[in-house]
């Protein structure tokens, strides 16, 4: 069976310069790639990715307009 979203991402409104945590839940364990447009994000000081079982999280630090 294909992997589906059990709990999809929700839009968040956050002040520039702040941090935000985005999360989703899948129907079964699978690797997750986070993207902004066509660009695949890589772990760095700005982006942190965590995955535990079927829940995946992306933390974006020091938010800028281009992170929308």
């Amino acid at each position: 069976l294909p992997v589906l979203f059990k709990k999809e991402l929700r839009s968040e409104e956050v002040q520039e310069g702040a941090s935000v945590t985005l999360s989703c839940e899948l129907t079964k364990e699978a690797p997750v790639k986070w993207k902004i447009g066509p660009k695949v994000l890589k772990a760095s000081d700005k982006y942190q990715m965590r995955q535990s079982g079927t829940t995946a999280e992306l933390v974006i630090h020091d938010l800028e307009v281009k992170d929308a």
Side-chain angles (χ1 to χ4, degrees):
L1 292 173
V3 178
L4 302 171
F5 285 106
K6 191 172 179 180
K7 177 182 157 201
E8 295 194 22
L9 288 176
R10 289 189 317 198
S11 293
E12 299 280 343
E13 287 191 31
V14 184
Q15 295 283 335
E16 282 186 66
S19 296
V20 67
T21 300
L22 303 174
S23 65
C24 65
E25 189 176 348
L26 308 172
T27 53
K28 63 182 178 180
E29 248 182 274
V32 172
K33 287 185 185 177
W34 292 94
K35 295 180 173 185
I36 291 181
K39 178 185 168 191
V40 176
L41 302 178
K42 295 186 184 337
S44 65
D45 289 341
K46 184 168 180 77
Y47 304 112
Q48 292 179 318
M49 293 88 170
R50 296 187 286 244
Q51 190 164 357
S52 177
T54 59
T55 301
E57 292 183 335
L58 169 66
V59 180
I60 305 174
H61 298 283
D62 194 24
L63 284 164
E64 303 171 62
V65 172
K66 69 179 183 177
D67 294 317

